[in-house]
Amino acid sequence: MAALDIVRIPVLSDNYVWLVHDPESGATMVVDPAVADPVLAAAAERGWTITDIWNTHWHPDHTGGNAAIKAATGCTIAGPAAEIERIPTLDVQLRGGDRVRIGNHSADVWDVPAHTAGHIAYHFADDAAIFVGDTMFAMGCGRLFEGTADQMFANMQKLGTLDDATRVYCAHEYTLSNARFAVTVDPGNAALADRLIAVESARAAGEATVPTSIGLERATNPFLRADSATELGRIRALKDAA
Ligand code: ZN
Ligand code: FE
């Protein structure tokens, strides 16, 4: 099985849209198209035609390109069943435990409610990759707009079961702000201090800092490292106020 080709498309102020291509079948999927034109252009540049869109949650910066990409390509749009009323463009309604395919590669759908009530993630176990939308960020987690610290803690625990090598594709470049906050709540963490320095120089050079990996997050992400929902909620509230 040929490896998936995964392309990062920076759009809006800090969103990343992910283009996922299976070279064997020619299938091309987009995760969370905030907008259409840069995504269609990135696919066209490579001679790819978008066959599928997978949404993680209803927020407009994750679904705004759905209709125009579908109009241009005839692709199929899949996303969380629980958010069908907020994502009227959905063709396929997904629930945790479902399995979805892109060409010869399959992904397990995870329910990860908290940022939104119906938020889902897509785990390609054989490819050691997970698309988490706004659930986990490099050294951060999503805001608790429609859920609780208990739910986000459960999400972090589940992500923590993955191997260190699993790459984590999140939807925003929030890394520098997250790192600066993380060192304030975990000041004794040498790996985190080192990562802040690395991220500062990467961002100063205009480089992207994602995907990240479960191993890196296990060492440096205060939300993944929190030992209780209470602790996660406490640091989430501090970050919200920062
Ligand atoms: Zn969001
Ligand atoms: Fe977002």
Side-chain angles (χ1 to χ4, degrees):
M1 190 167 67
L4 289 171
D5 210 340
I6 303 178
V7 175
R8 178 183 49 239
I9 309 168
V11 301
L12 306 180
S13 59
D14 53 35
N15 278 78
Y16 290 131
V17 176
W18 300 100
L19 199 54
V20 179
H21 178 73
D22 173 31
E24 279 172 357
S25 66
T28 302
M29 180 270 285
V30 183
V31 182
D32 285 353
V35 292
D37 288 349
V39 177
L40 290 166
E45 253 171 50
R46 292 166 176 84
W48 302 345
T49 300
I50 294 166
T51 52
D52 297 87
I53 292 171
W54 294 359
N55 295 134
T56 64
H57 66 293
W58 67 267
H59 284 163
D61 65 313
H62 298 254
T63 56
N66 278 8
I69 293 173
K70 183 171 179 171
T73 63
C75 70
T76 301
I77 305 176
E83 299 187 351
I84 179 71
E85 286 172 20
R86 314 296 293 266
I87 317 176
T89 46
L90 279 194
D91 299 309
V92 178
Q93 299 183 41
L94 301 175
R95 294 170 181 80
D98 286 348
R99 179 161 264 222
V100 279
R101 303 187 64 82
I102 187 72
N104 300 320
H105 297 252
S106 59
D108 296 308
V109 177
W110 289 16
D111 278 324
V112 286
H115 178 70
T116 65
H119 201 304
I120 58 176
Y122 299 94
H123 178 224
F124 287 90
D126 294 339
D127 299 272
I130 186 162
F131 293 86
V132 295
D134 288 355
T135 295
M136 172 185 275
F137 299 110
M139 292 167 280
C141 77
R143 284 179 184 257
L144 308 179
F145 287 125
E146 300 177 3
T148 64
D150 284 306
Q151 289 175 319
M152 189 58 92
F153 181 69
N155 296 340
M156 294 295 125
Q157 294 293 108
K158 188 160 186 200
L159 286 162
T161 65
L162 298 174
D163 291 345
D164 282 354
T166 303
R167 286 159 301 150
V168 179
Y169 295 85
C170 57
H172 291 273
E173 178 65 62
Y174 289 161
T175 310
L176 183 54
S177 140
N178 286 343
R180 286 177 173 156
F181 171 75
V183 295
T184 68
V185 294
D186 193 4
N189 184 333
L192 175 56
D194 289 349
R195 193 176 181 193
L196 170 58
I197 292 166
V199 164
E200 282 175 334
S201 61
R203 293 304 295 153
E207 293 164 12
T209 63
V210 297
T212 177
S213 71
I214 291 292
L216 207 45
E217 296 313 307
R218 210 190 304 287
T220 60
N221 186 322
F223 300 94
L224 183 57
R225 293 165 64 78
D227 57 15
S228 66
T230 305
E231 173 65 3
L232 184 149
R234 186 185 71 83
I235 56 181
R236 182 63 261 180
L238 286 172
K239 179 70 166 76
D240 290 346

